[in-house]
């Protein structure tokens, strides 16, 4: 997969940790649905650098970025 096929998400966990990673759009959608439903248990996310098992009861917030921001001049 090319980088444009990924979406950046930031996940705040209890205890103060923040996970910022690139995941597939399907994983980002699944995370939103699971959090909206108040689901417990774990969720598997397909990230750019491998799989992530996320314990949903430990998630305080999730932010989905509209697009990857870049520093520098645009093309």
């Amino acid at each position: 997969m090319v980088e444009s096929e990924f979406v950046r998400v930031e996940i705040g966990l209890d205890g103060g940790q923040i996970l910022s990673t690139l995941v597939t759009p399907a994983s980002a959608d699944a995370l939103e649905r699971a959090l909206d439903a108040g689901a417990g248990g774990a969720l598997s996310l397909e990230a750019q650098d491998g799989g992530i098992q996320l314990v949903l009861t430990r998630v305080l917030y999730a932010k989905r970025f509209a697009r990857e921001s870049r520093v520098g001049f645009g093309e």
Side-chain angles (χ1 to χ4, degrees), residues 2 4 18 34 39 51-52 55 61 63 68:
V2 294
S4 63
I18 298 172
I52 297 172
V55 178
Y61 74 88
K63 178 179 180 181
E68 185 67 20

Side-chain angles (χ1 to χ4, degrees), residues 9 11 26-36 43 45 54 56 62:
V9 294
I11 303 166
S27 288
D29 292 342
L31 175 60
E32 285 181 29
R33 284 191 304 271
L35 293 175
D36 285 345
L43 179 68
L45 301 176
L54 185 65
L56 294 171

